[in-house]
Each structure stands twice: as C-alpha cells, then as structure tokens.
Amino acid sequence: MYTVFSTFDVPAEKAEEVIDIYRNRSRIVDEAPGFVDFYLLQNDKNAGEITVQLFFESKESYLEWVRGEDFKKIHDLEKKYPDQELAQIVPKVGQFKVVAR
C-alpha cells in the first residue's frame, strides 16, 4: 500500500471553510484504479493545519492517478477558487510506502 500526505496551513478562521470544501469534494479520486481511501485530518493543537491523506494499492496506481486527466482537472479547479488567499497555498507533500500495519 502507498499513502500520500498533503499538509497545508490556512488561517484558523478559514479552517472550517476548507474542511467543508473537502467534505463536499467531487470524489473523482475515489474511482481511480487502485484508490483505497481518503482522510482529512485537522491538527488538534493548530486548527489551521490541515492534512489530506490518500491511500492507494501501490505507488504505481498513485502515479497513474497523478498523470491522469482527472487529477489535472481537480487541481486546475483549485487554482480558480474564489478565495485567492486559499488558492495560493502550497502544501507540503509526503509520499510513503506502507511497510507495516
């Protein structure tokens, strides 16, 4: 299994707005070959720190998703988000092979 984390900081007063965006996400990734699960995490001590966590069956299935048109479509929409402060945030991305459960 393979997991990818995208962590970003938003102003604390906008955290709920961002959470709502993900609660109402398109779910296109859910249909990607090899997709396993999605989590949205909020730091318990810093409300503005949000992490998106995706699980795929393998690194190859994740890379297939990233190279596909649906990935590009979703990320192009983010750039057009009306709140430009949020649209300009660049996440810190980590990619990990799951080695034990």
Side-chain angles (χ1 to χ4, degrees):
M1 192 167 344
Y2 196 71
T3 186
V4 178
F5 289 85
S6 296
T7 300
F8 48 94
D9 289 305
V10 301
E13 66 274 8
K14 294 187 178 188
E16 280 304 313
E17 179 181 351
V18 172
I19 290 167
D20 284 343
I21 290 168
Y22 281 98
R23 282 185 179 136
N24 297 304
R25 66 190 178 87
S26 68
R27 302 191 184 281
I28 292 172
V29 68
D30 298 20
E31 303 305 318
F35 173 80
V36 175
D37 215 342
F38 166 94
Y39 288 94
L40 184 67
L41 311 171
Q42 183 179 34
N43 187 308
D44 197 34
K45 295 183 180 180
N46 174 5
E49 184 180 320
I50 308 289
T51 298
V52 174
Q53 182 180 19
L54 300 173
F55 286 92
F56 284 84
E57 290 174 357
S58 66
K59 181 177 183 178
E60 292 74 24
S61 57
Y62 167 71
L63 292 174
E64 184 178 318
W65 159 249
V66 170
R67 293 176 183 139
E69 285 302 310
D70 286 336
F71 177 88
K72 183 180 181 330
K73 197 181 315 178
I74 288 172
H75 288 83
D76 284 347
L77 286 174
E78 290 174 357
K79 295 173 191 168
K80 296 174 185 164
Y81 189 70
D83 185 328
Q84 283 303 298
E85 182 179 12
L86 294 178
Q88 300 303 316
I89 294 172
V90 177
K92 177 182 177 190
V93 178
Q95 301 175 8
F96 300 87
K97 177 173 49 173
V98 177
V99 294
R101 287 182 73 191

